């Protein structure tokens, strides 16, 4: 296993039907525990790179992929999208556009349900979650009226 949680080696990607590459010769690595910021002007490839790291490229968004990109041991173009679900994710620029449910409990349960987890296990996880005091709240109001900071979760 690599010492890197994320590794990109000379990665280029061109969406199907596009005349120009969305990514060109991208190389970087991230160790576990490191925090990186992905920033740049509109159209520079930020979303394309996150799609690659989430396993959506080239399966869900077809095109030509060159080089090698791995995230948590999953290799773009080789690993199935569902293998990425437990280990990767994205937060959209406007989080309000990414909710699937109207309340915090249903939103927290959604990815568990989506991955086929048993209902009793989902309920157990919600009961022990450090977010439990936020359960049952309307999502749109949570970002407006956020209580004191939540305690850090320790495994």
């Amino acid at each position: 296993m690599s010492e890197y949680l994320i590794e990109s080696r000379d990665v280029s990607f061109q969406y199907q039907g596009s005349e120009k590459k969305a990514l060109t010769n991208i190389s970087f690595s991230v160790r576990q525990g490191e925090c990186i910021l992905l920033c740049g002007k509109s159209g520079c490839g930020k979303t394309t790179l996150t799609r690659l790291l989430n396993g959506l490229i080239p399966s869900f968004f077809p095109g030509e992929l060159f080089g090698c990109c791995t995230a948590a041991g999953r290799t773009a173009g080789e690993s199935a999208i569902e293998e990425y679900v437990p280990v990767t994710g994205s937060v959209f620029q406007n989080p309000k556009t990414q909710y699937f449910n109207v309340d915090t409990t249903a939103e927290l349960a959604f990815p568990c349900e989506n991955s086929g987890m048993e209902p009793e296990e989902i309920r157990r996880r919600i009961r022990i979650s450090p977010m439990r005091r936020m359960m049952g709240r309307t999502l749109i109001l949570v970002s407006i009226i956020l209580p004191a900071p939540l305690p850090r979760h320790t495994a």
Side-chain angles (χ1 to χ4, degrees):
M1 183 167 215
S2 173
E3 67 178 292
Y4 301 108
L5 187 60
I6 298 171
E7 189 169 16
S8 173
R9 291 189 312 267
D10 202 28
V11 170
S12 296
F13 182 75
Q14 185 169 339
Y15 287 99
Q16 184 177 341
S18 177
E19 294 186 17
K20 84 177 232 192
K21 291 181 179 175
L23 298 174
T24 305
N25 303 323
I26 304 296
S27 295
F28 70 101
S29 56
V30 181
R31 289 184 172 89
Q32 186 165 342
E34 287 184 320
C35 180
I36 64 166
L37 174 65
L38 184 60
C39 60
K41 64 182 181 177
S42 182
C44 74
K46 300 178 302 290
T47 298
T48 300
L49 183 59
T50 61
R51 288 174 176 170
L52 185 63
L53 295 172
N54 285 335
L56 297 174
I57 286 178
S59 300
F60 192 75
F61 294 96
E64 289 188 78
L65 175 63
F66 304 94
C68 182
C69 185
T70 59
R74 282 89 177 148
T75 303
E78 295 177 14
S79 300
I81 292 174
E82 54 271 14
E83 292 179 41
Y84 287 82
V85 172
V87 295
T88 66
S90 294
V91 177
F92 298 166
Q93 188 170 5
N94 179 357
K96 292 177 186 174
T97 65
Q98 112 177 36
Y99 300 138
F100 288 94
N101 297 285
V102 295
D103 70 86
T104 53
T105 307
E107 186 67 22
L108 192 60
F110 179 76
C112 300
E113 293 167 344
N114 207 28
S115 65
M117 192 177 290
E118 293 295 324
E120 184 52 42
E121 175 62 11
I122 296 170
R123 286 189 286 277
R124 185 191 73 76
R125 287 182 179 211
I126 289 172
R127 277 193 308 273
I128 66 169
S129 168
M131 297 292 293
R132 66 185 167 275
R133 71 180 189 163
M134 300 292 290
M135 295 301 107
R137 297 187 184 194
T138 302
L139 282 169
I140 198 75
L141 296 177
V142 170
S143 62
I144 298 169
I145 311 167
L146 191 62
L150 298 171
R152 292 190 67 154
H153 177 66
T154 55

